[in-house]
Amino acid sequence: MKNNQEKSASFVPYVPSSRSLPELTVVAIVFGIILAVVFGAANAYLGLKVGLTVSASIPAAVISMGVLRGIFRRDSILENNIVQTMTTAGEAIGAGAVFTLPAFFLLDIDLSQTVIIFIVLTGGLLGVFMMVPLRQMLIVKEHGNLPYPEGTACAEVLKSGEKGGANAKTVAIGFLFGGLVKVLGDGFMLFKTEIETQVGKFKNAVVGMDIFPALLGVGYIIGPRIAGQMLAGGLLAWIVLIPAISFFGADSTTAIFPAHDPIGKLDAWGIWDSYIKYIGAGAVAVAGLITLLKTLPTLISTAAQTMKGFSGGAASSGIERTDKDMPFRYVILGIIALVIIIGAAPITNVGFIGAIAIAVFGFLFVAVASRIVGIVGSSSSPVSGMTIATLLIVTLVYKVTGLHGMEGMKAALTVAAIVCTALAVAGDISQDLKTGHLVGGTPWKQQVAMMIGVVASGLVIGIILIVLDQSYGMGSQQLPAPKAAIMKVLVQGIFGGDLPWNLIFIGAAIAVVIEFLGLNSLVVAVGLYLPVHISAPVMFGGAVRWLVDSRAKSKEERLARSDKGVLFASGLIAGESLLGVLIAVLIFFKIDIPATPLTDNRLIPFVIFLFVCWLLYWVSSRAKVDKTE
C-alpha cells in the first residue's frame, strides 16, 4: 500500500496542473449534451432489448475529437474529456432507467413524465454528489492500485488524439451500416429480422436469431467467453428445458399454472412465455445476489476504508487545479436536500423510510460500485445485484410497516430505481474521474459536466421510454426488458404471493449449479431468461472477436485490432439503436409502416447479417500498430 501511495504522490498527469487549457466551454457543453441524449437513447433501447448496456466513453471521445478538431479546429484534450464525461452521464441514465422503470409499465402502474424525470434526476444527482468525497481516496490515493480499465483506456484514446479523424470515421461507418440494416428490415420491412428453425423432429426444440447489428456489436465488445456463456443459457432453455416440458406435459389435458392452456397445445414460444420466463427470473435474481455476495469482502473493506478516509480528513481542497473538487459543503447540502425532497415529495410517496433507505444503500453501494469498477470495469459491476438487494429489503420493510398493494409496489420500485440510477452514474463518473486524473482534467469541472449531462438526458429519457412502450410494448418479444421484468416478479411476489414459486426456485437452483461450474451465473441466467434469438447474434460477435484476436501476430497488433473493432461495433450499436428509437417515434405518431415483411425468405437476412460480420472482421483486421511510441 505504501508503494502505491508513493506512486500516487509522484504521479504527473498528461496536462500538468500548472498548465491551463480550454475545458468546460460552451462548445464542449453543447456537444456533450447532444451526445448524452443520443447515447442515452441508444443505451435505453439496447438495455430493453438485451438487458446489457455498453460504455460510451471511448466512442464519445473519438467522436468528440473528430468533430471538435475536424470542424471547430479545437485541439484541447481537456475539452474532449468534458464531452466524453457528459456523454457517459446519458449512458448511465439510460442504464439506470431501463433496468428498473419498465417494471412500472409491466405492472400497469401509471408513470407520468414528471415522475420519471424526478426519479432519474434525483438518482443521477445523488450518484454524482456521493462520488465527490470518494474521489480523493479511490482515484487519487489508490491510483497505483485501482486501474479503472475503461477510464484508463479512454485516457489513452484522448492522448492519441491525432488519430481522432480516422477513428471517428470508423464509428461513423459502423453507425451507417447498423442504421441501414435496421431501416431496411424493421422500417421498410424488406426482409424478416428474425429467423428460426425447428431442430429436426425434436419437438419444440427451436433455434433462431435476430438479425440485429447492435447485438453483433455487443458480442464483439464483451468477447467470446461472455458471449458463449450467454448463448449457453439460451440453449439450455430452448433445446433442453422447453423440449423437456413439452415431453412430460404432452398428454396433459388441463392447464398447469401459470399457463392458461394445456402444455400439449403450447408451441415453443408458448412454453417460454408461460414457464421459462419465471425460471429465468429466479435464475437472474439469485445470480445477481450471488454476484453481490462474492463482492462482500470488497463491500466491507470499502466501507471501513471510506470511514477511515473521512476520519483522516481526506481533504479535496488542494491548491492545484487538478486537485479541486466541488466544495464539500455544497455536496453535503445537495445530498441532504435531495434526500428531504425524495422523502417529502407526494408524487412518489416513498416516505422518509424510503428516503433513508436511499441515503443508506445509496452511499454504501456507491462506494462499493466505484471500487469494483476500479478493479474489473463497469461492465462487470453487480449493479443489478445491489439493486435487487435494495428492492428485497425495502419491499419487506414496507410490507411490515403496513404499506400494501399497488402503492407498496410503486414505492419499493421507486426506491430501487433511484438507487440503481445513482449506482450507474457513480460507476461511470468514477471511470471519467480516472480519465481526468490521467489526462490532467479539473475534477470540479468534470463533476459539474456530469451533472449537466444527467439533467439533459434525464429530461428526455421518459419520452423515449413511453414512445418505446407504446410502439413496441414493454415485456414484448421485441422489447423483453429482462432486468426490469425481474424487479416486477420480485416485488409482485413479495406483496402479492401469487407467483409460480416452484418455477422461480428451479431457476434459483440452476443459478447455483452454474456458479459451482465456474461460469458467470448472471450472464448465463440472462441468456436463460432471454429468447435464444437474442443470444445467438451476440455469439456471432464474440466469434468475430475471437477470430480477430487469434489472427494477430503480436500483443500490440491484437490490441490495435481490438480497439478498431470496438469503435466499429460501437457505431453498429448506436446506429441500430437510434434508428430503432426513430422507427418507434414513427409508429407512435401512426405513420404508415408495412405490417409484414416483403419476403419470408430466411436466407436473405442471414446473408446480410453474415456480410456485416465480415465487415466487422475486415475493419478490425485493417488496424495498424502505432510504432511512434
Side-chain angles (χ1 to χ4, degrees), residues 1 131 134 137-138 142 145-148 297-299 301-303 305-306 365-377 430:
M1 180 64 70
M131 184 54 210
L134 297 173
M137 182 182 71
L138 297 179
E142 296 277 2
N145 192 39
L146 297 177
Y148 287 95
T298 303
L299 187 154
S301 64
T302 296
Q305 290 182 43
T306 301
F365 287 151
V366 159
V368 174
S370 179
R371 181 172 286 273
I372 290 174
V373 301
I375 299 170
V376 299
S430 299

Side-chain angles (χ1 to χ4, degrees), residues 604-623:
I604 294 174
F606 188 62
V607 169
I608 292 173
F609 186 77
L610 289 180
F611 171 74
V612 180
C613 289
W614 172 82
L615 193 62
L616 175 58
Y617 170 78
W618 181 76
V619 170
S620 303
S621 62
R622 282 174 56 86

Side-chain angles (χ1 to χ4, degrees), residues 225-226 229-230 232-234 236 279-294 382 384 483 507-529:
R225 178 172 173 78
I226 299 299
Q229 292 183 36
M230 187 174 175
L236 174 62
I279 295 175
V284 172
V286 171
L289 293 177
I290 289 173
T291 305
L292 179 59
L293 288 174
K294 287 166 67 177
S384 59
K483 296 290 179 67
I510 289 174
V512 173
V513 171
I514 291 169
E515 190 66 33
F516 275 115
L517 289 173
L519 303 176
N520 187 320
S521 59
L522 185 57
V523 172
V524 179
V526 169
L528 174 63
Y529 178 85

Side-chain angles (χ1 to χ4, degrees), residues 264-323:
K265 293 184 178 180
L266 297 175
D267 61 6
W269 281 103
I271 293 174
W272 175 80
D273 187 58
S274 298
Y275 301 106
I276 300 301
K277 285 204 299 186
Y278 293 100
I279 295 175
V284 172
V286 171
L289 293 177
I290 289 173
T291 305
L292 179 59
L293 288 174
K294 287 166 67 177
T295 63
L296 197 59
T298 303
L299 187 154
I300 295 171
S301 64
T302 296
Q305 290 182 43
T306 301
M307 294 302 104
K308 183 179 178 181
F310 285 144
S311 63
S316 61
S317 55
I319 57 172
E320 292 186 341
R321 175 187 60 80
T322 54
D323 198 37

Side-chain angles (χ1 to χ4, degrees), residues 545-563 620-621 623-627:
R545 176 65 174 269
W546 172 82
L547 188 61
V548 167
D549 290 347
S550 65
R551 294 280 180 107
K553 298 177 181 178
S554 65
K555 180 181 178 181
E556 291 75 15
E557 184 178 357
R558 180 176 61 80
L559 291 173
R561 288 183 168 198
S562 173
D563 291 344
S620 303
S621 62
K624 297 180 180 179
V625 178
D626 184 6
K627 299 181 179 180

Side-chain angles (χ1 to χ4, degrees), residues 467-504:
V467 168
L468 288 173
D469 176 54
Q470 296 189 12
S471 302
Y472 298 129
M474 294 289 184
S476 67
Q477 185 179 335
Q478 290 177 299
L479 285 180
K483 296 290 179 67
I486 309 307
M487 309 297 173
K488 174 220 171 188
V489 167
L490 292 175
V491 74
Q492 196 175 36
I494 294 175
F495 277 114
D498 57 349
L499 288 173
W501 286 105
N502 283 336
L503 295 177
I504 292 174

Side-chain angles (χ1 to χ4, degrees), residues 219-244:
Y220 186 92
I221 291 173
I222 65 178
R225 178 172 173 78
I226 299 299
Q229 292 183 36
M230 187 174 175
L231 178 61
L235 294 176
L236 174 62
W238 286 78
I239 64 174
V240 178
L241 295 180
I242 290 178

